[in-house]
Amino acid sequence: MFDLALANLLSPVVLSFVLGLGAALARSDLSVPEAVAKAMSLYLLFAIGFKGGVSVADHGVDGTLGLALLGGVVLSAALPLVAFGILRAVSGLDRTAAAAVAAHYGSISIVTFVAGTAILDSRGIVFEGYMVAVAAAMEAPAILTALWLVARKSEATQSQGRGELLHEVLLNGSIVLLIGAFAIGWITGPAGLAQIDSFIVAPFTGVLCLFLLDMGLVAGRGMRQGRGVLDKGALAFGLVMPLIGATAGLGVGLLLGMSAGGIALFMVLAASASYIAVPAAMRVALPQVNPAIYLTLSLAVTFPFNLTIGLPLYVTLAEALTGG
Amino acid sequence: MFDLALANLLSPVVLSFVLGLGAALARSDLSVPEAVAKAMSLYLLFAIGFKGGVSVADHGVDGTLGLALLGGVVLSAALPLVAFGILRAVSGLDRTAAAAVAAHYGSISIVTFVAGTAILDSRGIVFEGYMVAVAAAMEAPAILTALWLVARKSEATQSQGRGELLHEVLLNGSIVLLIGAFAIGWITGPAGLAQIDSFIVAPFTGVLCLFLLDMGLVAGRGMRQGRGVLDKGALAFGLVMPLIGATAGLGVGLLLGMSAGGIALFMVLAASASYIAVPAAMRVALPQVNPAIYLTLSLAVTFPFNLTIGLPLYVTLAEALTGG
Amino acid sequence: MFDLALANLLSPVVLSFVLGLGAALARSDLSVPEAVAKAMSLYLLFAIGFKGGVSVADHGVDGTLGLALLGGVVLSAALPLVAFGILRAVSGLDRTAAAAVAAHYGSISIVTFVAGTAILDSRGIVFEGYMVAVAAAMEAPAILTALWLVARKSEATQSQGRGELLHEVLLNGSIVLLIGAFAIGWITGPAGLAQIDSFIVAPFTGVLCLFLLDMGLVAGRGMRQGRGVLDKGALAFGLVMPLIGATAGLGVGLLLGMSAGGIALFMVLAASASYIAVPAAMRVALPQVNPAIYLTLSLAVTFPFNLTIGLPLYVTLAEALTGG
Amino acid sequence: MQTHAAKRVEITIETVMQARLTRALEEAGVTGYTILPVLGGSGRSGGWSRSGQVSRASGMVQVICIIRPERLDPLLEAAFAVVEPHIGVVTITDAQVLRAERF
Amino acid sequence: MQTHAAKRVEITIETVMQARLTRALEEAGVTGYTILPVLGGSGRSGGWSRSGQVSRASGMVQVICIIRPERLDPLLEAAFAVVEPHIGVVTITDAQVLRAERF
Amino acid sequence: MQTHAAKRVEITIETVMQARLTRALEEAGVTGYTILPVLGGSGRSGGWSRSGQVSRASGMVQVICIIRPERLDPLLEAAFAVVEPHIGVVTITDAQVLRAERF
Ligand SMILES: Nc1ncnc2c1ncn2[C@@H]1O[C@H](COP(=O)(O)O)[C@@H](O)[C@H]1O
Ligand SMILES: Nc1ncnc2c1ncn2[C@@H]1O[C@H](COP(=O)(O)O)[C@@H](O)[C@H]1O
Ligand SMILES: Nc1ncnc2c1ncn2[C@@H]1O[C@H](COP(=O)(O)O)[C@@H](O)[C@H]1O
Ligand code: NA
Ligand code: NA
Ligand code: NA
């Protein structure tokens, strides 16, 4: 465990993140243009989706695919309830703000997922290719739970915009690209991969480094700007909630009898917090909540925690508990 | 033929286009930043031009280079006359609009050309490296024909801007980069290629996938916005004109005694319709024509047709007729 | 020497620059989006820094690292005095403008450095990996010298902004990324490189080509716009100063007993002129100086000179004088 | 040259609300608008900047509508309904336009 | 502070016409202008958006000129000659400027 | 709808001075501003364009402040102190705003 944690901390990927973080905290003007950050995330989504699809084409789908999707949806829908309860107990956030934050922790961060697969790859641990689809399935349900938490106690339900919001979330660019690339990988299989692997496999880790450099910059700016936005209870939540999520993910993974790699990824997904799809949805649905609250928590607290400490911990636990 | 069509349809390249198309039609917010799309097109132009030049350096130039350039220019200048005649007969477009559209079909789409070379490469069919230069030579003549078609019947010839327009078209960024990279490839030859092949050869197909994803998004948006702009006659034109162009390209290629690959590319060039250089020229020269007409036809009708059905058809025919 | 000069001139890297230059002078609209140019420079800085760090991890640091850093700082601080003296003697620039220009020539151009390492690599000449750190150390001292040159004779010292300016220059994005990547490469060593070499090693020269294409475009536009800004004396300075700088760099390198590659890079650094960090600092500190003066000199005169003639000259000399 | 009085309305609003705003404007009979990108800004809810933004959640755009003076009120009401619960700013300036028949 | 009356002219025009417009402005004696990018818009000829645009054909820019009031008319005439056959909008606003000697 | 008089100040300034300007504005009590990207421009110190710029040294941005009329003077003084030695333009327009309590 300790070795893996150190190896993870001293990998180019994590050090790039640390570099970005440090640069932002030192007020360097280092920055990655918005269009380039977007391009790298398109690349990562396409590559991870495609490889997942190829892996499914290669190994076939066993019965657990459906169950894993169901497990993911349940996790995403249920975790916000836990998160909401904790936040109301330990932080000063009001009902609506707590619900908005809770939505982020039920949903997932695809970059954390990608970093998790990179660790698994580097350790030679295989995982179910369809976990990419599970990741996509976990994006949206948490949002519904959060909206329900708010609507339950308020008369102004704004229900007319609900359908539109769901359409937006389900068809947001990241999900469409991830699932689309998964489908393309599945259809074209190893032959398709052979055509483009020097684009999506070989340079993958390098692109991830530059992307995490940018994530570090954004997280660092978030730390500077978010100072004062979060009380101690909220901060503690941002460090404890991933562990709770990971435990729930571990339970689901064990229950479904998945491989060590699959279980580790279930933990990663449940532990991670969204910072792209859910913030956008919350700005539309719950505009009264200050976005600095959830962005700071998810980007500047939980993401760095998962990247540095969480991921090696989850992988080690998953391996230990499956005798891997 | 059918096998090749299916293999083409199920390649990562075409499926990426289909994914973009579907995402746009489903109103997903998936999008590729303008700067990134531009970067990918710079990359593709540089790579295709460079490889063409290296191929010429490698195999030498035989006498057909000059004839092929001439053939391309003649095709580009003559096809708009055919296109114009058909459009005036079957669609409701007025004289000026029909001329503007006709210019697009005489000129070429370099992305269609690139996709054509990708099919040839994947099937191991060689082609004359200088076809890249032919592609560049075919961009502009069609514009002159179209302007002549308009000027013939109108007093307001705006002739003062003619020279400036030609300068712009002949020195537009795409042509300059394509021809420049071709020259660099020719000068530096295989030794130059060895220095940069892991940049321009290995990742090429992967970049093409992401680029076509974006083309699919643009074409899909074009289909949505262009609904109602085109009458049935114009739509039919967008599907039939590529076949006419391909036939003309076939004739020229056979006449010049080119290889199966070279003939296929002549067909591809003649069948394709411009959507970058010519639209910009038409906005300047014939601003009264609604750009949605030609952009929808060329991007949302002819480009998808060529990519999915046209290319494998042209390649099969070229092979069959040369006994390849 | 002559062979190397020709090989350099006919390399894809230099020809790409020439293509950009020609396109801009011919008023083509070829252009690289700002975000993409920025992305390529981030990539080059990350790759060159990382590789330098790995090389240090690999070969260890001997005593010369500290001395080389010191030598670099002294060169950067002293060269502006020479440059200032020459400019005041041969050009019509006033005291402040001459000081602003002088700052550029004491500081360095990291792209020239990168192009220099590319030549060394292609000829199989090794160099001290820590030269990357020397490059970073040479960015800022020249600015202090220039400000001192101005302040010495003027009452309005604006000294309140001095600290802020230094903070900005020392923490400017390029330096932070270069040094940060150097540190990451050093920490992760060859194992880290193995994870990302197909991203930062294989495509490096290709990216450098596209980047220099853009540099050519910018230099060409600079030549067109800067016509008339520089008198003959200033122009001559832009061609002679790199030779003076290179000679000083040669002296320092010989004095420190470095390898032929290390000496060549010392010459390259001293010969090159900044066009990113120093112009920005000068706009803040000496806004009264027309930026076209130093940008034209450094980008449109000295950079092309170094790229085409200077680099092979410096490498040949360094090899000859060390018996390499 | 002959110019005509018009109102120029500028609405600075979060990017996530852009589609809803332009839809509301179209429903209120606005026949044209132009959208400018916004690099960054600061207000009661703090500062933000586009560089390095990973989330669409915090970008903004500026929507500009030129309209005939008599159409101002329905436009403002439509805009206000969308902007009201959100952060953002609405300003109105008197302007002159060429080609009044377009507005 | 001391300010001076000026006119602010904003011309929203297709990107392909930008060079022609600024050349015409310079010929009409305009000494300065600023060009803003436009993300998207909508008008009589339909809507468009920059994202995913593959063609230069449909982008727009906004050219802003600050000028002394007495110079308005030649500017408008020069601008109109370029804009007239094209899509696009021209607005004029009254403004105050610092450093009037610059205009 | 109920609107309120305000001043709209637009400052076009070099990118390198952006942070200094917004800091000065904040010190002068300005509670909000919006920053627009600038693509290019031309003035007494010549023309420039963002495309292919390798140096931060020559980009510009436009900072827009909406303020209550009575706050105009301190703002202009703060802005002028930063802008004065630099290239750039400051314009002021009369405007109306919704939600005056914000300014
Ligand atoms: N006084 C102002 N002048 C110009 N823009 C403003 C002003 N106040 C707010 N804004 C813009 O509106 C956004 C949201 O402001 P707020 O609703 O006050 O948080 C800011 O980020 C600015 O872009
Ligand atoms: N009323 C308006 N207000 C603001 N911008 C407009 C307006 N009408 C048109 N535009 C802009 O001008 C472009 C062309 O308009 P049009 O010539 O009406 O097709 C549109 O895409 C908008 O960017
Ligand atoms: N009259 C003007 N109207 C609009 N923008 C201007 C004007 N004059 C200058 N500018 C802008 O301010 C920048 C610097 O102008 P200058 O200080 O005159 O060199 C130019 O590049 C333009 O972006
Ligand atoms: Na989660
Ligand atoms: Na054609
Ligand atoms: Na130097």
Side-chain angles (χ1 to χ4, degrees), chain C residues 34 164 218 221 275 283, chain F residues 14 23 50-52 55 86:
Chain C
E34 193 192 7
E164 192 182 1
V218 175
R221 273 182 231 127
Y275 54 82
R283 283 314 294 149
Chain F
E14 295 172 83
R23 216 178 311 132
R50 187 170 292 275
S51 83
S55 166
H86 283 267

Side-chain angles (χ1 to χ4, degrees), chain A residues 16-262:
Chain A
S16 297
F17 178 79
V18 172
L19 173 58
L21 204 67
L25 291 176
R27 296 172 181 270
S28 163
D29 72 347
L30 181 59
S31 74
V32 175
E34 193 193 7
V36 176
K38 181 100 189 276
M40 290 193 291
S41 84
L42 293 175
Y43 170 85
L44 294 174
L45 289 167
F46 183 78
I48 196 89
F50 196 97
K51 286 186 281 186
V54 170
S55 150
V56 169
D58 220 4
H59 301 118
V61 203
D62 54 26
T64 54
L65 168 55
L67 286 173
L69 286 173
L70 186 68
V73 170
V74 170
L75 268 176
S76 173
L79 281 174
L81 299 173
V82 183
F84 182 78
I86 299 179
L87 279 167
R88 293 293 282 161
V90 305
S91 85
L93 296 182
D94 67 21
R95 180 160 200 90
T96 322
V101 171
H104 291 73
Y105 283 82
S107 184
I108 58 113
S109 145
I110 199 73
V111 175
T112 314
F113 178 80
V114 167
T117 63
I119 294 192
L120 294 177
D121 284 347
S122 77
R123 305 212 57 200
I125 304 174
V126 295
F127 56 88
E128 288 78 1
Y130 60 66
M131 284 306 293
V132 165
V134 174
M138 289 179 71
E139 280 224 74
I143 295 172
L144 292 183
T145 306
L147 295 185
W148 172 80
L149 281 169
V150 174
R152 215 164 46 110
K153 293 272 167 147
S154 95
E155 53 283 13
T157 33
Q158 274 206 303
S159 62
Q160 88 285 8
R162 192 66 46 94
E164 191 182 2
L165 186 68
L166 256 191
H167 175 266
E168 266 176 34
V169 171
L170 289 177
L171 286 179
N172 89 58
S174 306
I175 293 195
V176 168
L177 182 53
L178 190 65
I179 289 298
F182 179 76
I184 297 177
W186 195 342
I187 295 171
T188 63
L193 183 60
Q195 286 179 48
I196 61 172
D197 59 357
S198 47
F199 178 63
I200 67 173
V201 178
F204 189 82
T205 313
V207 177
L208 186 58
C209 284
L210 277 194
F211 188 75
L212 285 174
L213 177 77
D214 183 46
M215 292 286 304
L217 289 167
V218 175
R221 273 182 232 127
M223 284 181 188
R224 266 173 43 206
Q225 291 171 4
R227 206 174 294 154
V229 172
L230 301 177
D231 57 25
K232 278 199 191 123
L235 267 175
F237 168 85
L239 299 171
V240 172
M241 189 63 209
L243 298 174
I244 298 175
T247 311
L250 176 66
V252 170
L254 286 172
L255 211 72
L256 298 176
M258 299 186 71
S259 70

Side-chain angles (χ1 to χ4, degrees), chain C residues 39-62:
Chain C
M40 290 193 290
S41 85
L42 292 175
Y43 169 87
L44 294 174
L45 289 167
F46 183 79
I48 196 88
F50 195 98
K51 286 186 281 187
V54 170
S55 150
V56 169
D58 221 3
H59 301 118
V61 203
D62 53 28

Side-chain angles (χ1 to χ4, degrees), chain C residues 152-240:
Chain C
R152 216 164 45 108
K153 293 272 167 148
S154 95
E155 52 283 14
T157 32
Q158 274 206 304
S159 63
Q160 88 283 10
R162 191 67 45 93
E164 192 182 1
L165 186 68
L166 256 191
H167 175 268
E168 265 176 34
V169 172
L170 289 177
L171 287 178
N172 89 58
S174 305
I175 293 196
V176 168
L177 182 52
L178 190 65
I179 290 297
F182 179 76
I184 297 177
W186 195 342
I187 296 171
T188 62
L193 183 61
Q195 286 179 49
I196 61 173
D197 59 358
S198 46
F199 179 63
I200 66 173
V201 178
F204 189 82
T205 313
V207 177
L208 185 58
C209 284
L210 277 193
F211 187 75
L212 284 175
L213 177 76
D214 183 47
M215 291 286 305
L217 290 167
V218 175
R221 273 182 231 127
M223 285 181 189
R224 267 173 42 206
Q225 291 171 3
R227 206 174 294 153
V229 172
L230 302 177
D231 57 25
K232 279 199 192 123
L235 268 175
F237 168 85
L239 298 172
V240 172

